[in-house]
Amino acid sequence: MTRTALTAAAVVADAAALADEAGFETVSLSAVARRLGVRTPSLYSHVRDLEALLDGVAALALAELAGRVAAAIAGRAGRAALEGYAAAYRSYARESPGRWQSMQRRAGDAVVRSDAARETVALTGAVLRGYPVPEDEHVHAIRLLGSTINGFLALERIGGFDHSEPSSEESWSRTVDALDALLRAWPADPRHRKAQP
Amino acid sequence: MTRTALTAAAVVADAAALADEAGFETVSLSAVARRLGVRTPSLYSHVRDLEALLDGVAALALAELAGRVAAAIAGRAGRAALEGYAAAYRSYARESPGRWQSMQRRAGDAVVRSDAARETVALTGAVLRGYPVPEDEHVHAIRLLGSTINGFLALERIGGFDHSEPSSEESWSRTVDALDALLRAWPADPRHRKAQP
DNA sequence: CTGACCAACCTACACCCATTAGGCAGATGC
DNA sequence: GCATCTGCCTAATGGGTGTAGGTTGGTCAG
């Protein structure tokens, strides 16, 4: 327990480290204070309350993830971009489970409006560029990508795949295959029978 | 606050009701004790600890959900079954948000080994029966269905779709369309180039 | 009928958490 | 030097989890 110069960023970074080491649910103001060698009320000079601290961890995680996704899809298109994208998500969730879990809660405004949040949406859109998904369907496809990937990681994390064969590794590969196939043949919207120009 | 005869089932039912009314995160032994008109330590005659209570809520929720899914897919096949299945999940999550959230944590053995858990897997398998998914791919498809649907509901719940158009209702429809299309044309596994009989 | 036992409630308590209020000391600016 | 501000502290309040031990009422066996 070394005495770090206390700043908001240092407090958030320590909370993030604790989340990854011991689980997001273990992050409390008192635990972080102990690790930083100060008394709990001292943290209120740097974070508004527990909620703000947890939002801080989410914002940090989102920024880190965005960076990794950007690197993973750089110079790639179509399936290669999709694979890089999906792999970046999964490796992040596995290497930083606590950070990843911080992003699974309803986020405060600071997180929602962050550059990282915008960048993440843009990166998903970039993956879509290599697929013949109609422009007006992009949001649906982005949401489906997010849902499937995050849903898989969430079920994996809570042990949803622990009780049956085959390995979740294999299902992950098949899931990426399935997403690729789906984006290559995105179904037309049966509710929009517009005359085509 | 009426004095219900205390049983394990009554304690779990009250916790489930509280979860739906005020959010899963508000469920505590002390809150449930207050609602039942007893002192907190009295609950330990009926539930082992808080963790067991939360598992009890999850088991109750899983059984309820299984019942609703079973009713929704009864006598249906293919797309109609898929729609019923997906709709049952979503309506349950929306009508009983706290109960639904209880199922998003790593569950204890009692939940994992419950009849309801087994039934849920079987029901998903039943939906698949109306699609040309190879038998050896069933687990992957079941996991992808679960991931996508739960992932969508989770993102919707935390407001992931609140900040952009179109409505999540529309994306939900498109997601079910996409899942239907995917199951109708489930991609072959490129890693299994076996000689075919 | 009586005594032993058990279940289910209670109080008391220890420890933990989040947060507020107010105090103190050091640094900074006038 | 004095006033102000910042960032730490202690004290306090109110909430939570769970254990230990006590009490009461019901049941059963002798």
Side-chain angles (χ1 to χ4, degrees):
Chain A
M1 178 175 59
T2 57
R3 195 70 179 258
T4 305
L6 264 200
T7 62
V11 175
V12 168
D14 195 79
L18 173 60
D20 286 343
E21 288 161 30
F24 184 65
E25 70 283 350
T26 66
V27 177
S28 63
L29 283 170
S30 46
V32 172
R34 249 183 327 261
R35 289 165 58 102
L36 294 174
V38 297
R39 316 308 289 171
T40 306
S42 307
L43 295 187
Y44 290 91
S45 301
H46 304 280
V47 293
R48 196 186 65 243
D49 57 13
L50 176 62
E51 193 70 24
L53 175 64
L54 301 181
D55 272 359
V57 175
L60 173 76
L62 197 51
E64 288 176 344
L65 178 62
R68 291 173 74 143
V69 170
I73 68 171
R76 296 178 175 200
R79 171 154 190 144
L82 176 65
E83 285 183 349
Y85 177 88
Y89 263 86
R90 188 150 178 258
S91 63
Y92 189 73
R94 300 179 78 143
E95 287 161 30
S96 309
R99 283 164 150 89
W100 181 79
Q101 215 187 336
S102 76
M103 297 189 281
Q104 313 309 313
R105 33 192 297 285
R106 180 177 289 276
D109 268 4
V111 182
V112 172
R113 300 193 201 292
S114 65
D115 288 343
R118 263 188 298 271
E119 192 186 349
T120 299
V121 173
L123 292 170
T124 312
V127 172
L128 278 194
R129 229 176 273 141
Y131 289 98
V133 177
E135 192 68 36
D136 63 330
E137 292 279 307
H138 267 212
V139 175
H140 303 312
I142 287 170
R143 289 175 177 176
L144 181 139
L145 268 189
S147 300
T148 305
I149 290 172
N150 273 290
F152 188 100
L153 299 178
L155 286 180
E156 192 177 34
R157 189 184 64 85
I158 67 171
F161 305 148
D162 289 352
H163 313 290
S164 55
E165 293 296 326
S167 70
S168 62
E169 206 64 50
E170 212 170 318
S171 291
W172 175 252
S173 291
R174 298 302 289 128
T175 294
V176 175
D177 290 342
L179 287 175
D180 178 59
L182 182 58
L183 294 179
R184 277 193 281 110
W186 185 259
D189 186 343
R191 280 161 290 267
H192 286 103
R193 309 288 175 106
K194 298 177 181 174
Q196 297 299 320
Chain B
M1 179 177 57
T2 57
R3 193 69 179 258
T4 306
L6 264 200
T7 62
V11 175
V12 168
D14 196 78
L18 173 60
D20 285 343
E21 288 162 29
F24 184 66
E25 70 285 350
T26 67
V27 177
S28 63
L29 282 169
S30 45
V32 171
R34 252 185 322 266
R35 289 165 59 101
L36 293 175
V38 298
R39 315 310 287 169
T40 306
S42 308
L43 295 187
Y44 291 90
S45 301
H46 304 279
V47 292
R48 194 186 67 244
D49 56 14
L50 177 61
E51 193 71 23
L53 175 64
L54 301 181
D55 272 359
V57 175
L60 171 75
L62 198 50
E64 287 176 344
L65 178 61
R68 294 174 71 143
V69 170
I73 68 172
R76 297 178 173 201
R79 172 155 187 144
L82 176 65
E83 286 185 351
Y85 176 89
Y89 264 86
R90 190 151 176 259
S91 63
Y92 188 73
R94 301 179 75 143
E95 288 161 30
S96 309
R99 280 165 155 90
W100 182 81
Q101 215 187 336
S102 76
M103 296 190 283
Q104 314 310 312
R105 32 192 300 284
R106 181 176 289 274
D109 267 6
V111 181
V112 173
R113 300 192 203 291
S114 66
D115 287 345
R118 260 188 301 268
E119 194 187 348
T120 300
V121 173
L123 291 170
T124 312
V127 171
L128 278 196
R129 231 175 276 139
Y131 289 98
V133 179
E135 192 69 38
D136 62 331
E137 291 280 307
H138 268 210
V139 176
H140 303 312
I142 287 171
R143 289 175 177 177
L144 181 139
L145 268 190
S147 300
T148 305
I149 289 172
N150 273 289
F152 189 100
L153 298 179
L155 287 180
E156 193 177 34
R157 187 186 66 84
I158 66 171
F161 306 148
D162 289 352
H163 313 290
S164 55
E165 293 296 328
S167 70
S168 63
E169 208 64 51
E170 213 171 318
S171 292
W172 174 252
S173 291
R174 297 303 287 131
T175 294
V176 175
D177 291 343
L179 288 174
D180 178 59
L182 182 58
L183 294 179
R184 276 193 282 112
W186 185 258
D189 186 343
R191 277 158 294 267
H192 284 105
R193 309 289 173 105
K194 297 176 183 174
Q196 295 299 320

